[in-house]
Amino acid sequence: MDAAIRNGSDAILHPRAYQLEMLEESLRRNVIVALVWILCPTVELADQQYKVLSMQLPLFQSRLLSGNDGIDRWSEQAMWDDALRNINIVVCTHQVLLDALIHGFVHMDQIALLVFDEAHHCVRGHPANKIMQNFYHAKRYERQRELPNILGLTASPVVRKKGGGLQTLEQNLNAISKTPKVNREELRRYVHGPEMAVLVHPDDEASSPLLLQNLSQLYSNLDIEQDPYVANLRGEGCEEYLKVRRTRKTYCQDQMKRFVRMAFEVNNELGPWTSELYICLCILKFQAQRHSAFSILEDMNEGEKIYINSLFASLPLPAIDIHLKLQDPGLSPKARQLIDLLAKEMSPGSAAIVFVKTRAAVKLLSVLLTTHPVTKDILRIGTFVGTSNQHARASRISDLINVSDQKENLNDLRTGTKNLIIATSVCEEGIDIAACNIVICFEPPPNLKSFIQRRGRARSTKSKYVIMFPSGQEKVLLEWYKLEAEMKEKYMDDMRHIEEIEKLEAQEDGHRGFIIESTGAKITLQDALQHLYHFCNTLPATPHTILAPIFTFEAIADGTVSCRVILPNSVDLSVQEFRSTGLWATERLARMDAAFEAYVGLYRVGLINDNLLPLPSYDEEAAKAYAEVAKRPAVALVNGKFNPWPAMAAAWQSTLTLYRSVITILSGDAEVMRMTMVSPCRLPQLFDLTMYVNAKNSLRVKISEGVETVKNEISVTTANEITKALLTSVFPTRVKEDDCGFLLLFTPDEDLGDLQSWLEHVRGTYDSNDILPGVEDATAVGVIRDHSKSDKAYVFHGVERIPPDLFEQQFGRKADMCLKVKKFPKRTDFLHRVPADAMEKKDDFTFLDPKDCRIDRLPVTYSQFAMYIPSIMHHVENALLTDHLCDGLLAPIRFSSPAVVFPALCTPAAREDGDYQRLEFLGDSILKMLTSTALMAEHQTWHEGYLSRAKDHIVSNGRLAMAAQETALDKYILTKSFTGKKWKPLSNTRLGESETVQPRKVSTKTLADVVEALVGVAFLDGGFPKALSCLKILLPEVSWLPLAERNNMLLHGVCDSPRSLTIPSNFMILETLLGHTFTYKSLLLEAVTHPSHLSIPSTPSYQRLEYLGDALLDYLVTTTVFSHKDLSQIALQPHRMHTLRATAVNASFLAFCSLSRTVTTPVAEIAPPDPNEAPSLIPGTRPMSLPKFLRHAPIPALASALSATRTRFAALKPVIDAALGHGLLYPWRAFAAFAPEKVFSDMIEAVLGAVYIDTTGDLRACNALLRRFGIMDWVETALKKEVRMRHPKEEVGGLARNEKVRYRVWIELGDCITGPIGELVNAGDDKLDLGNGRYRCKLFVGEREICSVQGWNRVDVETAAADEAIRILKVK
């Protein structure tokens, strides 16, 4: 693990099998913990444990109690009661709890579990043993009080050479010693013993430098009468004065004595150079802090400071050369040995600890190794000393260490930033230090406990444990060698045992197998293990989680073992645990047997297919098609558009009944004209049609339902001739002479008997002179055709008299009467709006010579109607196409009207009144939700990985495009816009020209969109039942049961009965936070269980619920956005809907919401101690957000990532709150800087899924949950306000137009980020450092560099660059 950290990878605390064995042993008498009290031997260890517990268990309220809190002055019960109220875990030293017990502030029956870290201290007169003897054993036989469970943790239960130590420790703790009984093979392989080495150095006393001699002489010559304390007593003449003169025990005397003694010790250990350096540093430190407002010399009064300073003033300080030579005579032989050893052993990747006796040696050895030419370039040094009683130590002149500088040193050793720690004995036990490959004792360990503890720090493979001995102590040296020999012999015994096991395994091998008859696939005992690991590797990957089976073993009395395998918690509980069926001589064979049983079990529940491989998709048929779907082409060759006209032509031949529909053309509410349309079959209901005459004016066309008419009652021939006459008046070149049998007939709305006479009346033309000198009704005049201009058509507007000379000048003859006309319009498409910027040119009046013109007898209003016939027939064709689809493929859905289906068939390119874009937006969400619920209910044992792959396959564009082709839906899709330019009248004589329908190329994305749009239409027309009916037709491979039935299936899959599961009291707070009391409590636990979490019994991870919640969230947001209309009752445009949904369901926004919603629990905080004030507690509360309830494994990388997200949240919350609450710009940049861990958004979705199942599919309860977290509030706010929501990268792409936008991103070495977001992110005491550098991005449009910005992650810096580019490009 430590190597992984140093290499920069995520280290995951994955429990070993022997660790699980010990865990289960401790859980055999487990209780619901009310208060856990953890005792540590040192303040440093207590602080470390508190920080780890607070980070790894944020759900539980923890409290650290130490002397720094002034608890020695907590003299009232109320103080203790307030300090422990709502606290779950207390961490302190033994003495703190002992004092509280002695004074009755705390009682044993308040504690459920009492943990002794480094439990070997619980002997003799140690406070740990006093707690047990006086307050535990004394009450063991008092039945009226409960006593806590005891858990002792130690790697060194025996710390003395005399026997009986283990039994004494067990008696004192009322416990028995437990080590792994089985799993020892694994334990031996993971626990490494170091190689021991001894370095013997000369024990000659070093010569003293002049400065040390002068200091010693100064101390020897001290006049006790000059001491400030003695001088104060002298005037009193008291007995104390005589005593002090005799004993010479004063504060100043003690300080100088300790200083001199330490200087000599440094001189002997490290040499003259170091002792001189030590003396100089101590004196300079004293002089620098003498007048400081924050002086560490608080215990000295001013007279004592003046006295000590006068002594030092008489001691001249030499200039010390800090540039040491390779063979500097100022170093001791022992120091040179250490330097040579480190130079030899330290290599890249090494980690080492040097244990020394004194705090002064820690500091000086650090300076020495940092400056020595041999070591200064290979060592990165940190220091660590004890901090207990720090206030008492602070006034010592001889102390150089500043403990505030050592906070990060141990962590730096883990990460590889530092590779050597110099420490006192405080690092021997408990403190979490990375595994080292070399541990050096600069002095021999003082006792067996220290020997063992220090040795345990060298636990890397091929590590060394070096003890430095002075010559002349051969007897002691022999004892250490003897101890090492015994340990080495034990280690060799372990290795021999492993070799014996491996030989035994080679002799006894299993031969079981499992065969699938249909495929011939076979798995045996020998290869089951690798298959099981492969299956686990296919599970959904989650950061900071290892996907591997865990094996534990049970020893049987006859020496055999059995095995249990536990699969990751993303696997269903029913197949999460298996046991070996037989008893085996070795663990390896038992493991193989358990793996075999597990793999066969996974096959039997459908998680392994008939080829004995993990499912590639959700079933075998889908698996075959999956590869094809994944390779979906961009364009598919599909059926040509369905042609309804051949069926109508056939109807003309066979029917005896005709249908007359009245066409009414209206301008506003005023009727313009009325016509009749005749068809051989009943036409579907035709909705009103809008025709756009020009950019300003439009007409409304109403077509009535057809009225049955006997075919003989109307002259079909006459109607055909009238239709031909109408069309010829407008489209003379498009109507052939032999055209007959038009498929739709158009006639005036006249009595049937008058049609023939009407036709005779409007046939042919007449001379234009017939209308001179004028007519009263211009609309009664037909189209005017100018023969001099190839029968160019005009619309009559009256007769104009002009001067004869002007007439002759223009027309070449003498006359004075001309025709006032306008050009007859050539437009054939009246279905689409005329753009304002494409208005027709100004149509001025034209004057014609009457002798050059003939006039159609057909009134111009009928010719104008004939212009509308192509648009009307296109409208009818669309209705016939839609009706054919609804009566055929979609008949089981029983739509209320084909008209509701039509928009779903129209692509934007078709330019119909509506298209599928909004419907596709809705249908996509409906399809996703129904698919997710169907799969999750149908496959209760599938993990989220299988469910997601199956869902992704079903809803993929490739599969939906295939569905459109397989069902022939593709032929009903409208992809081309009607223009009328090539329109020709449809008649029986022409029909053969277009009977062959040619295939066409259509985007597969378009095919998929139409499928989704149809699902959306079905939902709007009849809710989930009709949407499911639609899916049964289009995607028949899925069992589309009613949603209520699926919801019941989901509920039945919940593992506990209503209210049968007891949840921790903290989770009642969670229910308050969610605003929902769960009937099925296991759903609540599952919703907050991370994939890394390991518990006995196990709880499934939240992944399945998150899979469901993702679909529900998408559905609830989509339906809200879809149904919104503005004040003008205009629905949102598709791009706006997509953008708004993206803002509401993106992971950063959801994570922000999960952290923003909190409930508070009352917890009193300890006030900083003030010697002038009585101790007190500050009433307060601690906020609890949803992520606080996450149940996860104690993984440092995960805990660190969660903590970093919370820190960024706190810094950015004001900015994001302001933008979401009052701003008009969505805070994409701030969310990019937020960059939360995915688990924060996953929890929102998982809880949403849990509420849905718990309420049997109550969408109102789900919507209420989203509203409680502010998600729906934001959606509604964004709907009401014109919030700019486009992502900056999308917006800059629009501004770049046709030029390519490129982002060049790299990491620069440097400090933290700067700028507005940087200031926010870095707010507080702890900056969010990028580690090795910061990100920089240059944005290019085409080949032009637009801007260069910096940020703290790739997403952040690219978003920032886009933001800046928008500003620049808009200015330009």
Coordinates of all heavy atoms in Angstrom, one line a residue, residues 957-986:
N957 N -29.3 4.6 -29.8 CA -29.8 5.0 -31.2 C -29.7 3.9 -32.2 O -30.5 3.8 -33.0 CB -28.9 6.2 -31.6 CG -29.3 7.5 -30.9 OD1 -30.4 7.6 -30.3 ND2 -28.5 8.5 -31.0
G958 N -28.6 3.1 -32.0 CA -28.5 2.0 -32.9 C -29.7 1.0 -32.8 O -30.2 0.6 -33.8
R959 N -30.0 0.6 -31.6 CA -31.2 -0.3 -31.4 C -32.5 0.3 -31.9 O -33.3 -0.3 -32.5 CB -31.3 -0.8 -29.9 CG -32.5 -1.7 -29.7 CD -32.3 -3.0 -30.4 NE -33.6 -3.8 -30.4 CZ -34.4 -3.9 -31.4 NH1 -34.2 -3.1 -32.5 NH2 -35.5 -4.6 -31.3
L960 N -32.7 1.6 -31.5 CA -33.9 2.2 -31.9 C -34.0 2.4 -33.4 O -35.1 2.3 -34.0 CB -34.0 3.6 -31.2 CG -34.1 3.6 -29.7 CD1 -34.2 5.0 -29.1 CD2 -35.2 2.7 -29.2
A961 N -32.9 2.7 -34.1 CA -32.9 2.8 -35.5 C -33.2 1.4 -36.2 O -34.0 1.3 -37.1 CB -31.5 3.3 -36.0
M962 N -32.7 0.4 -35.6 CA -33.0 -1.0 -36.0 C -34.5 -1.3 -35.9 O -35.2 -1.9 -36.7 CB -32.2 -2.0 -35.3 CG -30.7 -2.1 -35.7 SD -29.8 -3.2 -34.7 CE -30.6 -4.7 -35.0
A963 N -35.1 -0.8 -34.7 CA -36.5 -1.0 -34.5 C -37.3 -0.3 -35.6 O -38.4 -0.8 -36.0 CB -36.9 -0.5 -33.1
A964 N -36.9 0.9 -35.9 CA -37.7 1.6 -37.0 C -37.6 0.9 -38.3 O -38.6 0.9 -39.1 CB -37.1 3.0 -37.1
Q965 N -36.5 0.2 -38.6 CA -36.4 -0.5 -39.8 C -37.1 -1.9 -39.8 O -37.8 -2.3 -40.7 CB -34.9 -0.7 -40.2 CG -34.2 0.6 -40.5 CD -32.7 0.4 -40.7 OE1 -31.9 0.4 -39.7 NE2 -32.3 0.1 -41.9
E966 N -37.0 -2.5 -38.6 CA -37.6 -3.9 -38.5 C -39.1 -3.8 -38.6 O -39.8 -4.7 -39.1 CB -37.2 -4.5 -37.2 CG -35.7 -4.9 -37.1 CD -35.2 -5.2 -35.7 OE1 -36.0 -4.9 -34.7 OE2 -34.1 -5.6 -35.5
T967 N -39.7 -2.7 -38.1 CA -41.2 -2.6 -38.0 C -41.7 -1.8 -39.3 O -42.9 -1.6 -39.3 CB -41.6 -1.9 -36.8 OG1 -41.0 -0.6 -36.7 CG2 -41.2 -2.7 -35.5
A968 N -40.8 -1.4 -40.1 CA -41.1 -0.6 -41.3 C -41.7 0.7 -40.9 O -42.4 1.4 -41.7 CB -42.1 -1.4 -42.2
L969 N -41.4 1.2 -39.8 CA -41.8 2.5 -39.4 C -41.1 3.6 -40.2 O -41.6 4.7 -40.4 CB -41.4 2.7 -37.9 CG -41.6 4.1 -37.3 CD1 -43.1 4.5 -37.3 CD2 -41.1 4.2 -35.9
D970 N -39.9 3.2 -40.7 CA -39.1 4.1 -41.5 C -39.8 4.7 -42.7 O -39.6 5.9 -43.1 CB -37.8 3.5 -41.9 CG -38.0 2.2 -42.7 OD1 -39.2 1.8 -42.8 OD2 -37.0 1.6 -43.1
K971 N -40.8 4.0 -43.3 CA -41.4 4.5 -44.5 C -42.4 5.6 -44.2 O -43.0 6.2 -45.1 CB -42.1 3.3 -45.3 CG -43.2 2.6 -44.6 CD -43.7 1.5 -45.4 CE -44.9 0.8 -44.7 NZ -45.3 -0.4 -45.5
Y972 N -42.7 5.8 -42.9 CA -43.7 6.8 -42.6 C -43.0 8.1 -42.1 O -43.7 9.1 -41.8 CB -44.6 6.3 -41.4 CG -45.4 5.1 -41.8 CD1 -45.0 3.9 -41.4 CD2 -46.6 5.2 -42.6 CE1 -45.8 2.7 -41.8 CE2 -47.3 4.1 -42.9 CZ -46.9 2.9 -42.5 OH -47.6 1.8 -42.9
I973 N -41.7 8.2 -42.2 CA -41.0 9.3 -41.7 C -40.9 10.4 -42.8 O -40.5 10.1 -43.9 CB -39.6 8.9 -41.2 CG1 -39.7 7.9 -40.0 CG2 -38.8 10.2 -40.7 CD1 -38.4 7.4 -39.6
L974 N -41.2 11.6 -42.5 CA -41.1 12.7 -43.5 C -39.8 13.4 -43.3 O -39.5 13.9 -42.2 CB -42.3 13.7 -43.2 CG -43.6 13.4 -43.9 CD1 -44.2 12.1 -43.2 CD2 -44.6 14.5 -43.7
T975 N -39.0 13.4 -44.3 CA -37.6 13.9 -44.3 C -37.4 15.1 -45.2 O -36.4 15.8 -45.1 CB -36.6 12.8 -44.6 OG1 -36.9 12.3 -45.9 CG2 -36.7 11.7 -43.6
K976 N -38.3 15.3 -46.2 CA -38.1 16.3 -47.2 C -39.2 17.4 -47.1 O -40.4 17.0 -46.8 CB -38.1 15.8 -48.6 CG -36.8 14.9 -48.9 CD -36.8 14.5 -50.3 CE -35.5 13.7 -50.6 NZ -35.4 13.3 -52.0
S977 N -38.9 18.6 -47.3 CA -39.8 19.7 -47.2 C -40.6 19.8 -48.5 O -40.1 19.6 -49.6 CB -39.1 21.0 -47.0 OG -39.9 22.1 -47.1
F978 N -41.9 20.0 -48.4 CA -42.8 20.3 -49.6 C -42.5 21.6 -50.1 O -42.4 22.6 -49.4 CB -44.2 20.2 -49.1 CG -45.2 20.6 -50.2 CD1 -45.5 19.7 -51.3 CD2 -45.8 21.8 -50.3 CE1 -46.3 20.0 -52.3 CE2 -46.6 22.2 -51.3 CZ -46.9 21.3 -52.3
T979 N -42.2 21.7 -51.5 CA -42.0 23.0 -52.1 C -43.0 23.2 -53.3 O -43.2 24.4 -53.6 CB -40.6 23.0 -52.7 OG1 -40.4 22.0 -53.7 CG2 -39.5 22.8 -51.6
G980 N -43.5 22.2 -53.8 CA -44.5 22.3 -54.9 C -43.8 22.6 -56.2 O -44.5 22.6 -57.3
K981 N -42.5 22.7 -56.3 CA -41.8 23.1 -57.5 C -42.0 22.0 -58.6 O -42.1 22.3 -59.8 CB -40.4 23.4 -57.3 CG -40.2 24.7 -56.5 CD -38.7 25.0 -56.3 CE -38.5 26.3 -55.6 NZ -37.0 26.6 -55.3
K982 N -41.9 20.8 -58.2 CA -42.0 19.7 -59.1 C -43.3 18.9 -59.0 O -43.4 17.8 -59.5 CB -40.8 18.7 -58.9 CG -39.5 19.3 -59.1 CD -38.3 18.3 -58.9 CE -37.0 18.9 -59.2 NZ -35.9 17.9 -59.1
W983 N -44.3 19.6 -58.3 CA -45.5 18.9 -58.2 C -46.3 18.7 -59.5 O -46.3 19.6 -60.3 CB -46.4 19.7 -57.2 CG -47.7 19.1 -56.9 CD1 -48.0 18.1 -56.0 CD2 -49.0 19.3 -57.6 NE1 -49.3 17.8 -56.0 CE2 -50.0 18.5 -57.0 CE3 -49.3 20.2 -58.7 CZ2 -51.3 18.5 -57.4 CZ3 -50.6 20.2 -59.1 CH2 -51.6 19.3 -58.5
K984 N -46.9 17.5 -59.6 CA -47.7 17.2 -60.8 C -49.0 16.6 -60.4 O -49.0 15.9 -59.4 CB -46.9 16.2 -61.7 CG -45.7 16.8 -62.4 CD -45.0 15.8 -63.3 CE -43.8 16.4 -63.9 NZ -43.1 15.4 -64.8
P985 N -50.1 16.9 -61.1 CA -51.4 16.4 -60.7 C -51.3 14.8 -60.7 O -50.8 14.2 -61.6 CB -52.3 16.9 -61.7 CG -51.6 18.1 -62.3 CD -50.2 17.8 -62.2
L986 N -51.9 14.2 -59.7 CA -51.9 12.8 -59.6 C -53.2 12.3 -60.2 O -54.3 12.7 -59.9 CB -51.9 12.3 -58.1 CG -50.5 12.5 -57.4 CD1 -50.6 12.1 -56.0 CD2 -49.4 11.7 -58.2

